[in-house]
């Protein structure tokens, strides 16, 4: 590697690998992403019924709104995972057998739910990140809200 | 049976709680996407091989050349400015203790926690790298120590000699122990899982008082400047990051120098390597406990609960053991690289080699801090300068009219965060390689031997850089 021509060659090859790598890998991501996301609600989907399972296992495009079920002050079936895309509308239902206040961190939304009642939450997905949804009284996390970019 | 159910419910409530310090914030970052992780690794590999092939032949950072800034020194290093900086430091120390003891217990509404763990702990790292050793001027402990020794000299008519000579063998080890204690307090101590995961403001205030007392005693025994240079945790840690800065204070003057050049002399004291490795290990653990190690910690936690320990003790023991494990792993990787280097180089002992190359890992420690805490710091500084400043006790006051403002979670997008993290790790890796190569040229004189010895160095650095990216791609706290 003594001559400057060889040095230049190494540098050019390196830059080429870095640029091609970026294009290839980045392109691969945007092709696969729409398939891999599970719960992506469309902007104008209204909650049709509260009959959804408290989970994320619904195919994209399903009109059902995810429901988080709270039993004895704990999320039934563990902390629910809710995934939405930035710019869409976040919509989910909380059904609880105890009177509580639901708090969505980051978005700082608070909503009361009565014992045995249900409450529908709907708001625009303004910023991306992972946010906790908790019962304010006991600070129990009931759902993890993921907003993808 | 009821007790079992109650415990089960409690355990369920405990586990989902994210890491300690995140009680301060309502958001976690999205993990680094897989493609960016793979791409980051590719860039780091390419950069490494190009660096190895095209490495320069003369050391570039080892010189001590610098340019004094006479007029600026006259102003910034004057007595009134020094007194003002010290007074600001003391006021902030008092405010931390006062708000911690008297303010609200809500971690995100109390001035003390955000100030200590974000503005001070992360903010000063960034400021030190940019502007040099600022903490020396603002350290409340040093300011009080100097005032006390100055007062004593005036009264006694002579300078107060330190009663004990600081043992040279001790080097920076007291600071390393202090750093471990701080990490334990920050990441592990208060993880009770319920309302306030993380250390309480009151515990933090008590810890601050204890540390202050310890520092005053140590300064009294060994002398103010000596203890601040060697033993005082924060002076030593921020001083380490400041050694990368293009500015330093030498012989009573502010001097401009080549960035990174002071770091080449930083690791000469015993215990310096420990500081670098503990800093890397601490950030690694904080990242891993939210992702890679989450399940392992949770399972050990459950085992300890079943063994009859309280949830808080179980959490402390489980997390503490894993912190120790991470530190041992980080140290093992470093030593494996050093021992590998000895295959090429037999003249220098492993100890000499470790001391010679310790400073090359400071940029990696910095990259870890930036990558892990970037968004966290940007968001929490909004809190710091709005409601926490106007309402430091969380009691409804509004000193500056900003108490009702909050954090704008839309301030930085996930894409920005990812590219900053990626950039930090890659740049940190490049700078670390440059420092390692430079030192190898000094030790071996010719490019060929230097490059061979650096293959081992490179493996270590590749490991740390890819580990950093990997942790971010698993969970991004």
């Amino acid at each position: 590697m003594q001559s400057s021509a060889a040095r230049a060659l190494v540098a050019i090859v390196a830059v080429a690998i870095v640029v091609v790598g970026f294009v290839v890998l980045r392109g691969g991501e945007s092709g696969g992403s729409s398939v891999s996301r599970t719960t992506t609600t469309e902007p104008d989907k209204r909650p049709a019924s509260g009959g959804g399972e408290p989970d994320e296992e619904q195919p994209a495009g399903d009109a059902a709104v995810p429901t988080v079920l709270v039993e004895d002050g704990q999320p039934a079936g563990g902390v629910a995972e809710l995934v939405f895309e930035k710019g869409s509308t976040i919509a989910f239902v909380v059904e609880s057998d105890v009177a509580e206040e639901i708090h969505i961190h980051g978005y700082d939304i608070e909503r009361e739910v009565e014992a045995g009642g249900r409450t529908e939450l709907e708001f625009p997905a303004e910023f991306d990140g992972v946010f906790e949804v908790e019962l304010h009284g006991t600070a129990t996390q009931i759902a993890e809200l993921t907003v993808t970019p | 049976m009821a007790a079992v159910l109650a415990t089960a419910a409690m355990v369920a409530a405990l586990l989902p709680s994210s890491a300690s310090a995140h009680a301060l914030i309502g958001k976690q970052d999205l993990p680094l996407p897989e493609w960016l992780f793979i791409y980051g690794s590719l860039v780091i590999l390419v950069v490494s091989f190009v660096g190895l092939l095209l490495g320069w032949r003369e050391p570039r950072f080892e010189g001590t050349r610098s340019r004094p800034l006479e007029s600026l020194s006259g102003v910034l290093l004057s007595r009134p400015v020094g007194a003002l900086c010290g007074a600001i430091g003391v006021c902030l120390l008092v405010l931390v203790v006062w708000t911690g003891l008297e303010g609200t217990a809500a971690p995100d509404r109390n001035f003390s926690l955000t100030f200590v763990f974000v503005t001070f702990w992360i903010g000063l790292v960034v400021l030190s790298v940019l502007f040099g050793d600022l903490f020396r001027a603002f350290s409340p402990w040093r300011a009080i120590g100097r005032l006390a020794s100055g007062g004593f000299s005036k009264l006694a008519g002579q300078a107060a000699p330190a009663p004990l000579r600081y043992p040279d063998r001790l080097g920076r080890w007291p600071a390393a122990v202090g750093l471990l204690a701080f990490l334990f307090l920050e990441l592990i101590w208060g993880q009770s899982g319920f309302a306030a995961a993380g250390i309480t403001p009151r515990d933090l205030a008590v810890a601050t008082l204890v540390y202050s007392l310890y520092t005053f005693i140590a300064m009294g025994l060994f002398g103010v400047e000596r203890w601040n240079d060697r033993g005082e945790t924060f002076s030593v840690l921020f001083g380490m990051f400041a050694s990368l800065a293009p500015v330093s204070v030498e012989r009573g003057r502010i001097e401009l120098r080549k960035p990174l050049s002071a770091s080449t002399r930083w690791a000469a004291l015993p215990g310096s390597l420990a500081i670098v490795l503990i800093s890397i290990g601490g950030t690694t653990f904080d990242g891993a406990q939210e992702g890679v190690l989450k399940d392992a910690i949770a399972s050990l936690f459950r085992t300890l609960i079943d063994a009859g320990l309280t949830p808080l003790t179980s959490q402390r023991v489980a997390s503490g053991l894993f912190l120790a494990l991470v530190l041992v792993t980080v140290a093992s990787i470093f030593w494996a690289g050093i021992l590998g280097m000895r295959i090429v180089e037999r003249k220098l002992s492993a100890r000499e080699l470790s001391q010679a190359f310790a400073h090359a890992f400071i940029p990696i420690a910095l990259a870890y801090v930036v990558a892990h805490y970037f968004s966290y710091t940007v968001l929490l500084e909004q809190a710091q300068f709005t409601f926490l400043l106007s309402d430091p006790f969380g009691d409804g006051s509004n000193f500056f009219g900003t108490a009702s403002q909050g954090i704008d979670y839309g301030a930085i997008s996930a894409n920005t965060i990812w590219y900053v993290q990626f950039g930090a790790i890659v740049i940190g890796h490049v700078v670390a390689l440059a420092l390692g190569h430079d030192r190898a040229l000094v030790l071996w004189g010719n490019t060929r031997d230097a490059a061979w010895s650096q293959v081992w160095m490179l493996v270590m650095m590749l490991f740390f850089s890819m580990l950093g990216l990997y942790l971010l791609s698993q969970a991004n706290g």
Side-chain angles (χ1 to χ4, degrees):
Chain A
M1 281 315 132
Q2 303 310 318
S3 73
S4 57
R7 283 168 170 257
L9 190 66
V10 169
I12 290 167
V13 169
V15 170
I17 293 174
V18 166
V19 171
V20 170
F22 183 81
V23 173
V24 169
L25 287 165
R26 178 115 218 222
E29 153 69 12
S30 44
S33 67
S34 58
V35 184
S36 65
R37 280 181 194 129
T38 46
T39 310
T40 306
T41 45
E42 302 303 320
D44 288 317
K45 291 271 151 56
R46 297 287 308 166
S49 70
E53 285 298 306
D55 221 335
E56 79 284 16
E57 300 302 333
Q58 294 164 14
D62 194 327
V65 170
T67 303
V68 181
L69 209 60
V70 177
E71 286 171 356
D72 292 332
Q74 297 290 331
V79 175
E81 287 177 26
L82 307 166
V83 184
F84 296 90
E85 213 172 297
K86 188 175 172 181
S88 70
T89 300
I90 295 168
F92 62 96
V93 174
V94 179
E95 287 184 15
S96 175
D97 60 355
V98 288
E100 256 289 7
E101 190 176 37
I102 298 150
H103 180 210
I104 301 161
H105 283 250
Y107 283 84
D108 246 348
I109 290 171
E110 288 174 357
R111 194 72 60 80
E112 303 277 344
V113 60
E114 285 169 21
R118 68 197 294 278
T119 183
E120 291 169 14
L121 292 115
E122 196 177 330
F123 51 95
E126 282 173 87
F127 21 82
D128 43 36
V130 182
F131 306 90
E132 271 183 36
V133 182
E134 63 163 34
L135 301 177
H136 224 165
T138 56
T140 306
Q141 187 183 358
I142 56 171
E144 185 178 80
L145 172 64
T146 302
V147 179
T148 61
Chain B
M1 185 62 192
V4 172
L5 277 180
T7 310
M10 206 150 67
V11 170
L14 280 163
L15 289 178
S17 77
S18 45
S20 57
H22 300 113
L24 298 177
I25 202 166
K27 170 188 180 258
Q28 275 184 284
D29 293 337
L30 290 157
L32 205 67
E34 198 180 335
W35 76 267
L36 192 55
F37 164 62
I38 297 170
Y39 180 65
S41 308
L42 172 86
V43 170
I44 286 169
L45 276 173
V46 169
V47 159
S48 305
F49 283 110
V50 171
L52 214 54
L53 288 172
L54 301 184
W56 48 89
R57 288 170 226 169
E58 297 291 326
R60 295 196 170 185
F61 299 107
E62 301 273 349
T64 51
R65 260 190 309 153
S66 56
R67 197 159 61 82
L69 299 170
E70 300 286 358
S71 51
L72 197 66
S73 305
V75 178
L76 289 183
L77 298 182
S78 67
R79 202 174 268 269
V81 173
L84 179 69
C85 292
I88 291 172
V90 173
C91 286
L92 287 168
L93 179 73
V94 170
L95 190 58
V96 163
V97 173
W98 192 12
T99 53
L101 292 177
E102 299 292 326
T104 170
D108 55 336
R109 308 296 307 183
N110 192 306
F111 174 86
S112 61
L113 288 182
T114 299
F115 182 78
V116 170
F117 291 123
V118 189
T119 308
F120 171 72
W121 181 242
I122 312 288
L124 263 178
V125 170
V126 176
L127 293 176
S128 301
V129 169
L130 295 175
F131 303 110
D133 201 355
L134 291 178
F135 184 65
R136 173 168 284 275
F138 287 95
S139 165
W141 302 297
R142 181 169 172 265
I144 293 172
R146 278 164 62 100
L147 194 68
S149 71
F152 181 88
S153 310
K154 277 237 168 67
L155 284 176
Q158 59 175 40
L164 289 179
R165 197 178 157 276
Y166 188 84
D168 284 336
R169 274 212 331 240
L170 221 50
R172 293 190 170 116
W173 281 106
V177 173
L179 183 55
L180 271 182
F182 183 91
L183 288 173
F184 189 79
L185 210 62
E186 181 196 13
L187 302 175
I188 294 168
W189 176 253
Q191 271 183 40
S192 58
F194 290 111
I199 189 169
T200 61
R202 170 166 282 274
D203 282 0
L204 179 66
V206 172
T208 309
L209 286 173
V210 170
Y211 184 75
S212 300
L213 187 67
Y214 156 77
T215 305
F216 292 137
I217 293 171
M219 285 192 300
L221 290 178
F222 299 115
V224 174
E225 296 301 339
R226 182 42 64 101
W227 184 255
N228 278 288
D229 283 345
R230 306 276 173 95
E232 202 276 299
T233 309
F234 304 103
S235 291
V236 169
L237 188 84
F238 297 136
M240 173 181 89
F241 288 112
S243 74
L244 302 175
V247 192
S248 65
V249 176
E250 309 270 354
R251 295 170 296 273
R253 282 186 320 199
I254 299 175
E255 300 186 340
L256 277 184
R257 65 185 179 202
K258 189 179 253 182
L260 315 179
S261 61
S263 72
T264 58
R265 279 165 284 133
W266 184 81
L269 293 170
S272 303
L273 173 64
I275 305 269
V276 183
L277 295 182
I278 293 171
S279 172
I280 293 177
T283 320
T284 305
F285 173 76
D286 197 15
Q289 69 172 349
E290 290 142 21
V292 184
L293 292 179
K294 193 175 181 181
D295 293 342
I297 295 174
S299 112
L300 178 59
F301 170 77
R302 269 187 232 107
T303 311
L304 292 172
I305 290 263
D306 291 343
L309 294 180
T310 65
L312 190 57
T313 313
S314 305
Q315 184 69 54
R316 284 175 187 165
V317 172
S319 297
L321 282 175
F322 274 95
L323 173 62
L325 190 71
V326 168
L327 289 171
V328 168
T329 308
V330 166
S332 307
I333 293 155
F334 179 85
W335 282 104
I338 292 292
L339 294 178
M341 223 186 285
R342 288 206 72 217
I343 297 171
V344 185
E345 166 55 57
R346 309 290 304 187
K347 269 176 290 181
L348 297 169
S349 69
R351 196 188 170 79
E352 285 166 321
L353 282 173
S354 73
Q355 194 167 324
F357 286 98
H359 72 285
F361 290 81
I362 303 174
I364 292 185
L366 173 66
Y368 270 46
V369 169
V370 172
H372 191 75
Y373 295 111
F374 164 68
S375 74
Y376 178 66
T377 306
V378 169
L379 295 179
L380 279 171
E381 284 314 287
Q382 297 176 35
Q384 181 77 82
F385 286 101
T386 55
F387 62 87
L388 289 177
L389 206 59
S390 268
D391 186 11
F393 294 87
D395 58 3
S397 7
N398 194 354
F399 297 130
F400 303 102
T402 53
S404 60
Q405 293 173 29
I407 300 174
D408 172 15
Y409 285 96
I412 32 173
S413 70
N415 271 305
T416 310
I417 297 165
W418 289 335
Y419 285 119
V420 167
Q421 293 176 326
F422 163 85
I425 298 279
V426 171
I427 293 169
H429 183 75
V430 170
V431 174
L433 278 181
L435 285 176
H437 179 73
D438 230 42
R439 179 52 52 89
L441 285 175
V442 171
L443 291 179
W444 291 289
N446 68 73
T447 321
R448 194 183 161 75
D449 285 359
W452 271 113
S453 75
Q454 283 309 287
V455 172
W456 291 95
M457 204 63 188
L458 183 66
V459 172
M460 274 195 272
M461 287 172 179
L462 276 175
F463 183 90
F464 281 124
S465 303
M466 289 189 184
L467 174 70
L469 284 177
Y470 175 71
L471 291 174
L472 294 171
S473 74
Q474 293 304 300
N476 213 340

